[in-house]
Amino acid sequence: GENVEQHPSTLSVQEGDSAVIKCTYSDSASNYFPWYKQELGKGPQLIIDIRSNVGEKKDQRIAVTLNKTAKHFSLHITETQPEDSAVYFCAATGGKLVFGAGTILRVKS
Amino acid sequence: SQTIHQWPATLVQPVGSPLSLECTVEGTSNPNLYWYRQAAGRGLQLLFYSVGIGQISSEVPQNLSASRPQDRQFILSSKKLLLSDSGFYLCAWSVGLPGPEQFFGPGTRLTVL
């Protein structure tokens, strides 16, 4: 089955800097890669996703890149703000979603 | 638009007591429904999923069970809670094939004492 590894487990950045979170997956049949943001005590919120026929997708300050050959994908957040502080999860699926372990992002003001 | 509700929001139960958590979805028909557990604020473990009324697939053997009595209602139950059942329980929904574009509810914080 699919296995997703996510790095780093924690990330601290200064407000205004960029943040990058990376994930690798094992199943070459996976074709959908979402990213979720979870604030304390709340359910995860889908923030951006990418499908296997696309290499990059942007939505304002966030972007996701996918390298199918290397089987890894990344979340990029530019001009970070304190409200970006949260836990971020990547996931991959060709059928059932398999999640990474999460990254705690702290944006210091 | 679609919305997903979970209740209760928090629950404290003694070991050995029964459990019933409820999830309902509005604004869509025949959704796929999922129960996840999240321990220690990290990691999402899929417990059950359902593609239709009365259809339940279990992902891991455990002390819990799930039921889907109505199209947009999903219930997580236990006859006797264990300490290890403590955690944050999340319900999610999707349309189409199981997997893509899952949307999560607000969650239920369960503490077993």
Side-chain angles (χ1 to χ4, degrees):
Chain A
E2 177 66 274
N3 182 52
V4 178
E5 294 189 358
Q6 182 171 345
H7 300 280
S9 58
T10 60
L11 178 60
S12 291
V13 299
Q14 203 66 35
E15 182 179 359
D17 288 349
S18 296
V20 181
I21 303 171
K22 300 180 179 180
C23 290
T24 60
Y25 62 98
S26 60
D27 188 351
S28 57
S30 288
N31 55 14
Y32 175 71
F33 307 90
W35 285 89
Y36 288 85
K37 175 184 180 181
Q38 186 176 27
E39 297 176 345
L40 191 62
K42 298 184 179 180
Q45 178 189 8
L46 179 64
I47 56 172
I48 195 167
D49 56 17
I50 192 167
R51 297 185 185 271
S52 59
N53 58 347
V54 177
E56 183 176 3
K57 183 177 179 180
K58 291 182 180 180
D59 183 3
Q60 298 183 351
R61 294 187 298 108
I62 60 173
V64 58
T65 58
L66 171 65
N67 184 327
K68 286 215 70 178
T69 302
K71 290 191 283 188
H72 66 71
F73 56 112
S74 301
L75 177 71
H76 304 253
I77 306 174
T78 59
E79 301 174 15
T80 54
Q81 301 168 4
E83 51 265 38
D84 294 328
S85 296
V87 181
Y88 290 82
F89 292 96
C90 64
T93 182
K96 298 173 192 173
L97 269 180
V98 176
F99 288 84
T103 296
I104 300 173
L105 174 63
R106 297 189 182 96
V107 180
K108 298 175 287 186
S109 57
Chain B
S1 63
Q2 300 86 0
T3 56
I4 179 169
H5 304 278
Q6 288 187 245
W7 62 88
T10 61
L11 190 60
V12 180
Q13 292 285 93
V15 170
S17 64
L19 173 74
S20 181
L21 303 181
E22 189 167 344
C23 169
T24 59
V25 180
E26 297 177 355
T28 187
S29 296
N30 195 31
N32 303 309
L33 296 172
Y34 310 82
W35 278 113
Y36 289 86
R37 176 167 58 202
Q38 187 175 35
R42 304 280 297 274
L44 290 156
Q45 179 187 33
L46 179 63
L47 302 176
F48 302 94
Y49 72 92
S50 170
V51 299
I53 295 174
Q55 300 179 59
I56 308 294
S57 296
S58 176
E59 288 297 296
V60 293
Q62 60 206 314
N63 185 42
L64 302 168
S65 62
S67 62
R68 185 169 177 174
Q70 300 180 40
D71 180 45
R72 290 170 289 177
Q73 184 184 33
F74 206 21
I75 296 173
L76 184 68
S77 303
S78 174
K79 293 182 179 179
K80 290 185 178 181
L81 283 169
L82 306 172
L83 286 173
S84 57
D85 291 324
S86 293
F88 193 45
Y89 287 83
L90 291 157
C91 181
W93 68 272
S94 69
V95 293
L97 290 173
E101 296 174 315
Q102 289 186 23
F103 300 96
F104 286 84
T108 294
R109 173 73 60 191
L110 171 65
T111 303
V112 182
L113 301 176

